[in-house]
Amino acid sequence: RTLLGHFRHEIGHYYWDRLIRDDAEWLDRFRAMFGDETADYGQALQNHYANPPAPGWEQNHITAYAASHPWEDWAET
């Protein structure tokens, strides 16, 4: 990953907080596209680093890391 790629990813998290988190309509749209972000984030990351991604992750995610949790899917996308 490049420094620019890392910044892009982190800016994705920032925009989630600014544009989606507190807007019920956009939150519903987010969940329809990326999944339920209320899933335990810490557990999702532990699982990601302890296990290989689920088979076929490439069909629905841009990176294996994006498959770890909806927030990461948003930020990677």
Side-chain angles (χ1 to χ4, degrees):
R1 171 173 283 194
T2 65
L3 183 58
L4 183 59
H6 186 79
F7 284 149
R8 178 200 47 83
H9 174 94
E10 295 307 321
I11 287 169
H13 288 299
Y14 169 81
Y15 278 113
W16 190 90
D17 285 341
R18 300 292 293 160
L19 301 174
I20 297 170
R21 182 187 65 195
D22 299 324
D23 186 312
E25 182 180 339
W26 279 104
L27 192 54
D28 287 342
R29 291 178 183 184
F30 171 87
R31 288 176 178 157
M33 176 77 61
F34 297 98
D36 183 3
E37 85 292 348
T38 63
D40 188 301
Y41 180 73
Q43 185 61 47
L45 290 186
Q46 283 183 350
N47 185 53
H48 169 75
Y49 290 116
N51 302 296
W57 65 265
E58 309 92 337
Q59 301 303 315
N60 296 308
H61 300 92
I62 195 165
T63 65
Y65 189 61
S68 66
H69 188 274
W71 284 336
E72 298 307 340
D73 193 9
W74 163 266
E76 288 288 283
T77 301

